[in-house]
Every structure is written in C-alpha cells, then in structure tokens.
Amino acid sequence: MTVTATSVGQSDQLEPPIAPAARGPRLVRLVPAIAAVLSGVLLYVSFPPRTLWWLALPAFAVFGWVLRGRSWKAGLGLGYLFGLGFLLPLLVWTGVEVGPGPWIALVVIEAVFVALVGVGVAAVSRLPAWPVWAAAVWIAGEAARARVPFRGFPWGKIAFGQADGVFLPLAAVGGTPVLGFAVVLCGFGLYEVVRLAVETRRTRAVRRSAAAVALLSVAVPVVAAVAARPLVSVKAEDGTATVAVIQGNVPRLGLEFNAQRRAVLDYHARETERLAAEVKAGKVPQPDFVLWPENSSDVDPFANADAAAVIDEAARAIGVPISVGGVVERDGKLLNEQILWDPDKGAVDTYDKRQVQPFGEYLPMRSLLGAINKDWTTMVRQDFSRGSKPGVFDIDGSKVGLATCYEAAFDWAVRDTVTHGAQIISVPSNNATFDRSEMTYQQLAMSRVRAVEHSRTVTVPVTSGVSAIIMPDGKITQKTGMFVADSLVQKVPLRSSETPATRLGILPEIALVLVAVGGLGWAGAAGVRGRRADGV
C-alpha cells in the first residue's frame, strides 16, 4: 500500500478546533454560575449606603431561577457562588486595616451557610408553593449563621438592607426574621410569577392554583407591610427627654486610633465642653443626659486619676450625667464598658459588653493560631471578657438601653434591653478602625431596623462617624459627617409599650425554622418515593 504525502500530512495534523455550534452548549452551562454570582452582587448593591432596597427582589428572583429543579450538588455550588457574590463586597471593610486574609477567610466560611441554603432551596423548589418553603430555608440559614461559629455573625441579614424599604414595618411584627422572610418570599414569588406567565404563553394552559400561590407570594408581603404601619409610632408615651450625642473624633485613622495616650478622651471632653458653652449661650437646649461612644475614653478612668478628672470636668461643664465608653480592667478581666458618670458622684453604674467580637476583641483558638503564626496573636494581645447582665441606665427617670456596637447585629442583645425597661436605646460604637468604609452605614441601618422593631428612639454615638439620632419609625432626624468633631441635641420621645416583635422574641424565628424543616422533610420524602417509583 502506498501512502501519499497528502495522507501523511493529514494524519499528523491536530484535530480541527471545536466549531462555534459545539462551543455554544459549554457556554450555556456556565450561565447559571454567572447568574448566581451576579444575583449575589445585585443583593449587595441593595444594601446601605445605597437606598436601592428593592434590588433584593430581582436578586432573589434570579437566585430562584438558578436553583429551581437543580440537584443538591448544583444547589451547593450555585449557592456558594451566590454567597461569594453577596458577601465578598459586603464585608470588604473587615480587611481595611489587617489586609485581605481575614476578609477572604470570613467570606469563605460565611458563604458555606449560603451554599447549604442553596441545597435546601433546590430541594424544596419541586414542592407546591415552593417560594414559601424556600424563603423559610433562607431564614433558617440566617438563624444558623447568627449563632455559629464563635457565637455567630449576623452581618448581612436581609432585614438589614431594608431600612428604606416598604417592608420595614414588618420588623415590628416579628423582628428581623419576619422582615427578611417577607423580602425573600416576594423575590422568589416574583420569579414564579414570571415563570408561570412564560409557561402559560407557551402551552396556553393556566395552572390556576400555582398561579394563585405565586401571586400571593408577591402580594401578601406587601399587603402585610402596609397593614403593619399602625405599629410604627413616634408618639411620646412617657414624656420626652433631651438627649445629646457626642462625636469627639480621633487623632488618626486605623487600628492605631488611640495610640496617643488620652487623645480620644480629650477630644470627647473638648466637644462636650464646647456643647456646654453653646447651652450656656442659649444656642442649643440643655440636655438631660449626654451619650459618648464606645472607646471614647482610651484610658481606664478607674485606674488613672487624670482620666477621671477629665471626665469629671466635662460632666460638671454640661451639668448632667454622661455615659462614657471605656476599656476597663477589673479583677484581672478586660472589659468593654459603658460607665454612667454623674457630675457630682462620679461613676454610678456600668454595663459590660456581652457579645464581644471574635478576632477583634478576643481570639478564638489562640494556641492553635499562635502555633501557625505568632504574629496573629499580637493583633489581640488580651481577650476581652463578656458581661452577663443587660445594660439599662436609669438617668434621672429616663431608662436608656445599651447595645454596644457589634451587639446591634444580634436580635437578643437589643431586645432584652427593652424587656428590661429601656425607653430609648443607645448603640455606642467605634468605627475608627474601619476608615471610611461602608461598615458604619451598614451598622447605622441595623439601628434603624431596631428602632422600628422595638418602637424606640435609637441614638448612635460613634467616635468618628456617622453618629445619628433615629426616631421610632426608623427615620434619621440628625446625623454627623465622618471624622469630624460634632454633637447632636434633640428632644426625643420616651416609649414603654412593646411591639409584637418585642413580646414574641425568638418565636417567629423558631416558627420559620420549623417551616423550613417541614419543607425539607417533605422534599426528602417526595424524593424517596420518586426513586422507588423509578425502581432505584
């Protein structure tokens, strides 16, 4: 047999490139993954400081489209991609001063919860009325994320992106779980409406029961939010109090904001004395009490007479008690403490922060991390201890509940101040370590949701901004800029009635978790029956 040159050349050639028609299916397979990431990013964009709360609805609509009818493996992967798209930009502030390592590590761990939610949503998406089950699964995921690991990290709850939205009154009905459930249900319902409309147009057959459920999934949350508006009130039930919020600013940005001894304390004392001069001149009303932020005293006033003298002088100048944030060492324990400082008696009451921040105020697994890298343990040289009692200061008849900074993200830490008698709530914070990131705006939105949830005025004194006064309807009436010294003075309502959310506490969350468990159980049983019918 003779082999021609032509035939040899052809046999040595590489296989021809894949035709465009063959490449197409591969690209199509990437569409769900791309859509999962982009819908996560869209959800991030719905969060503060932007007021695009409504973008959460199309974000969950796309997420529902991505997951409906998928296998558990696909749900896991697509859910993880959605979590990355949402949490990577949302939590970028966690790496502002310490580099990208902690930020990436936090997101990688937190996105696992969203991945598991993806598995659950994919499973229940085959059930009748699946948007209801799927929205409950999302809230169950939030409930888990708010508790583990290291006592949880609730940042990024859907409710915290809704401070400007129409659904906000639902916070007064059942707190953050009910508010978040309504948003997610509406988003999944929106997708189901579109899906059924396309199916009806294609088949010309209307599945009325499915269409009714889809429409109700969109309509009921909106109607419920409108119906809940009477729960939102700014009426003074127990008179009023004139409150002053002090933002003293810090000498420098970043982790070393308090490197210059007593500078932060001096800044807050100076701003208080400036306010006292304006009160004396009749430019602003005399406050009933003054609220300083977390870490406003960078020197322990119980161990340092000079720091105590500075606070004494400021309190006497303004003539009313001051709630001072300090780092205090007592009985060998390091405490993040709020101190009620009377102009005549000095320190008369204290509140120790109960929900301390892992890797910020204490270092979990210290010995293990030290064995890996000793430098990591120097970031938190000594762990803060946790307080054990709710903080409510009785200041001349006004009861002020305290939730220090990170605690505002935790439902229980705010609620129990109200159940212990708080007529207004204060969230003293220190955001100086996060530069000009979105963190302060995200935290401010949490306080706005808490105001509606418990129908209380919420004050937010921050070392470097944004400090604010928030009415019980969630509206900000005054706020400062960032990294400026300023003060806010306002007469605010004192309220003692409890919203359904305050009275019910954790019960709405438990109910939604049980709904999610029921849906997952039903989906699992249906899957087993289907495999048996197929002879598997």
Side-chain angles (χ1 to χ4, degrees):
M1 177 180 175
T2 302
V3 180
T4 63
T6 302
S7 64
V8 171
Q10 289 173 343
S11 66
D12 289 341
Q13 287 178 358
L14 297 174
E15 291 185 9
I18 299 172
R23 287 200 302 267
R26 295 186 180 182
L27 293 175
V28 169
R29 287 197 292 270
L30 290 176
V31 169
I34 295 170
V37 173
L38 292 180
S39 58
V41 174
L42 192 65
L43 181 59
Y44 154 71
V45 175
S46 75
F47 271 66
R50 294 157 295 278
T51 57
L52 303 174
W53 57 271
W54 51 271
L55 286 178
L57 304 185
F60 277 103
V62 175
F63 192 41
W65 169 73
V66 164
L67 292 177
R68 188 175 186 279
R70 298 282 180 179
S71 68
W72 74 266
K73 290 181 180 179
L76 186 71
L78 293 169
Y80 197 78
L81 291 174
F82 180 83
L84 292 179
F86 172 45
L87 295 172
L88 269 172
L90 185 81
L91 302 178
V92 67
W93 52 267
T94 59
V96 166
E97 292 294 334
V98 294
W103 163 47
I104 299 298
L106 175 63
V107 171
V108 165
I109 293 170
E110 292 296 311
V112 171
F113 290 91
V114 186
L116 295 175
V117 167
V119 174
V121 171
V124 301
S125 68
R126 297 176 176 87
L127 299 178
W130 73 266
V132 177
W133 308 109
V137 168
W138 180 273
I139 298 305
E142 287 191 344
R145 199 160 65 84
R147 288 166 175 82
V148 292
F150 313 126
R151 300 186 65 164
F153 185 74
W155 221 277
K157 274 190 169 187
I158 299 306
F160 296 149
Q162 296 296 309
D164 292 292
V166 298
F167 299 101
L168 182 60
L170 290 172
V173 175
T176 60
V178 168
L179 173 54
F181 175 77
V183 175
V184 180
L185 174 60
C186 200
F188 284 147
L190 181 63
Y191 161 62
E192 184 69 352
V193 167
V194 173
R195 186 185 73 82
L196 290 174
V198 171
E199 180 183 287
T200 299
R201 185 174 181 180
R202 185 178 65 251
T203 63
R204 299 187 183 278
V206 180
R207 291 192 292 149
R208 293 185 178 180
S209 61
V213 169
L215 291 170
L216 287 172
S217 297
V218 176
V220 168
V222 177
V223 172
V226 173
R229 284 182 180 177
L231 295 173
V232 180
S233 173
V234 297
K235 180 181 178 182
E237 296 173 329
D238 304 303
T240 60
T242 301
V243 58
V245 170
I246 298 296
Q247 177 175 300
N249 204 8
V250 295
R252 65 194 74 187
L253 281 64
L255 293 174
E256 298 302 318
F257 76 95
N258 63 348
Q260 184 180 338
R261 184 184 187 278
R262 225 187 69 183
V264 178
L265 172 57
D266 287 344
Y267 279 26
H268 285 81
R270 185 184 309 154
E271 182 60 25
T272 303
E273 290 164 2
R274 186 193 67 79
L275 174 63
E278 290 192 341
V279 170
K280 187 176 181 180
K283 296 180 180 179
V284 294
Q286 171 70 49
D288 295 310
F289 51 88
V290 176
L291 302 172
W292 285 8
E294 176 189 35
N295 301 149
S296 48
S297 178
D298 51 357
V299 181
D300 182 350
F302 297 111
N304 296 270
D306 62 330
V310 170
I311 299 171
D312 265 332
E313 187 175 350
R316 284 195 297 269
I318 196 66
V320 295
I322 302 175
S323 179
V324 178
V327 175
V328 172
E329 191 163 0
R330 183 181 298 115
D331 300 327
K333 296 180 178 180
L334 192 64
L335 302 166
N336 187 336
E337 190 166 83
Q338 285 291 309
I339 309 161
L340 182 58
W341 204 282
D342 186 86
D344 300 318
K345 302 175 184 177
V348 294
D349 201 356
T350 60
Y351 165 66
D352 299 322
K353 187 176 181 181
R354 295 170 292 164
Q355 187 71 30
V356 294
Q357 183 182 354
F359 304 100
E361 293 173 307
Y362 79 98
L363 195 62
M365 306 178 297
R366 180 179 289 274
S367 58
L368 175 61
L369 292 175
I372 298 172
N373 188 333
K374 291 184 178 180
D375 291 340
W376 291 349
T377 61
T378 62
M379 294 174 60
V380 184
R381 296 182 184 276
Q382 181 180 350
D383 291 343
F384 279 82
S385 296
R386 296 183 178 91
S388 58
K389 297 179 180 179
V392 180
F393 286 165
D394 190 333
I395 311 178
D396 293 335
S398 298
K399 293 184 178 180
V400 181
L402 299 162
T404 305
C405 196
Y406 185 56
E407 291 182 322
F410 293 83
D411 296 346
W412 63 268
V414 182
R415 176 180 175 269
D416 68 4
T417 68
V418 179
T419 58
H420 281 76
Q423 296 167 305
I424 69 170
I425 300 169
S426 183
V427 184
S429 303
N430 172 29
N431 298 337
T433 55
F434 301 110
D435 204 345
R436 297 182 181 273
S437 69
E438 293 182 356
M439 182 270 187
T440 190
Y441 299 103
Q442 293 171 8
Q443 191 176 55
L444 184 61
M446 292 179 193
S447 295
R448 295 179 63 191
V449 172
R450 299 304 184 194
V452 174
E453 181 179 9
H454 300 294
S455 195
R456 295 292 188 272
T457 297
V458 177
T459 62
V460 186
V462 184
T463 50
S464 54
V466 174
S467 299
I469 296 176
I470 305 165
M471 290 290 101
D473 60 0
K475 291 183 172 59
I476 298 173
T477 52
Q478 291 190 61
K479 66 179 180 178
T480 70
M482 293 185 72
F483 294 100
V484 294
D486 205 350
S487 60
L488 308 173
V489 180
Q490 185 172 324
K491 181 183 289 186
V492 300
L494 299 177
R495 294 178 56 82
S496 57
S497 63
E498 293 185 352
T499 63
T502 306
R503 292 192 295 270
L504 292 171
I506 197 175
L507 292 179
E509 185 175 54
I510 291 174
L512 290 170
V513 170
L514 290 176
V515 170
V517 171
L520 292 171
W522 184 7
V528 170
R529 287 195 299 269
R531 287 193 294 272
R532 287 175 178 172
D534 293 337
V536 178

